[in-house]
Amino acid sequence: MVGLAVWALAFPRPYLVCLAALALLPVAVLPLFNRLGADTGAQARPAWMASLAGLAGVAGVLLALRAGMDFRLLDWKLSLALGALLGAALAAAVAPQLLTLPARLVMLALALAAALAWGWGLGVAANGLFDRAPPVIHAAKVLGRRVSRGSRSKSYFLDIAPTNIAGLGDSVSVGFSLYRRVGVGDEVCIDEHAGALHWRWFKIRTCRPDPAALTFAPLHAPFRAS
């Protein structure tokens, strides 16, 4: 599971293979989950079921994290509704086997949370990957830079001049690579995408060409070294 997390969050390459693996793993586990649930003795059932459920759950959460970072939504409501629908369907498919475990309520709650994350991530990834419309590009001046420090991490923000992008605030979180390349008074470009499911999403970048920015995805280059 640690290797899966490193692949998904630190080095998702090949990008489409990584997303496909995260999206399909929870579904691929289902037949094995149900078949072994019927064939395995009661004493061995909790151990292997927890392992399979944990692997599928981690994949679902990682899909949500990866998609949320790469396709930053401006329109949220429909994505949450679709995520709830897909997640509920996945959770319902595994519920009969989970209810046979001693800690069935805990397992069911964890499975539901992971399934909801998977459903939302699947919708967001599909909305971005299959978006073929050219983006609308907006330029905004950087008015300020700030760092938010947590107990174990730092978050980087750019305060930008007002834009006409509905749903985008005047403070945007960015990666460290972009944060260190722009200063107060510089301009950043914001690509506003329509979304294949009509859920608008955006990507913020420097306006000048950046040959050092590595692209891992062939469609709209959502994952960059910024």
Side-chain angles (χ1 to χ4, degrees):
M1 293 187 190
V2 174
L4 186 64
V6 171
W7 184 31
L9 300 180
F11 195 71
R13 189 175 186 179
Y15 183 79
L16 292 181
V17 173
C18 179
L19 278 190
L22 297 176
L24 295 176
L25 188 57
V27 178
V29 162
L30 278 178
L32 182 63
F33 199 80
N34 292 322
R35 180 178 177 181
L36 293 181
D39 296 343
T40 307
Q43 187 173 3
R45 182 176 294 138
W48 68 256
M49 189 172 289
S51 297
L52 282 179
L55 180 62
V58 167
V61 172
L62 289 174
L63 177 63
L65 291 173
R66 182 74 267 169
M69 289 188 294
D70 295 342
F71 308 102
R72 302 175 63 179
L73 288 182
L74 293 165
D75 299 323
W76 286 87
K77 292 182 180 179
L78 290 179
S79 73
L80 294 175
L82 180 61
L85 182 64
L86 294 174
L90 181 62
V94 301
Q97 294 297 338
L98 293 178
L99 289 174
T100 65
L101 297 179
R104 55 184 179 273
L105 294 181
V106 175
M107 292 293 292
L108 191 59
L110 292 175
L112 178 59
L116 292 175
W118 170 83
W120 181 81
L122 185 64
V124 172
N127 180 69
L129 287 175
F130 296 106
D131 182 3
R132 303 302 175 88
V136 177
I137 301 175
H138 307 261
K141 182 173 291 188
V142 177
L143 303 179
R145 304 160 75 245
R146 57 190 175 87
V147 180
S148 176
R149 291 177 170 83
S151 58
R152 296 185 179 180
S153 63
K154 295 180 182 179
S155 299
Y156 302 91
F157 294 87
L158 297 179
D159 297 327
I160 59 175
T163 68
N164 59 354
I165 303 175
L168 183 68
D170 55 5
S171 182
V172 183
S173 64
V174 297
F176 175 71
S177 180
L178 178 60
Y179 180 85
R180 66 180 175 82
R181 291 203 306 269
V182 299
V184 175
D186 292 342
E187 277 193 334
V188 291
C189 283
I190 303 166
D191 299 335
E192 181 185 8
H193 296 265
L197 299 177
H198 304 291
W199 306 342
R200 292 176 307 120
W201 60 281
F202 74 96
K203 179 175 62 180
I204 185 168
R205 57 180 176 82
T206 59
C207 293
R208 55 185 180 274
D210 181 18
L214 303 177
T215 300
F216 293 92
L219 303 179
H220 296 308
F223 180 76
R224 300 171 62 89
S226 60

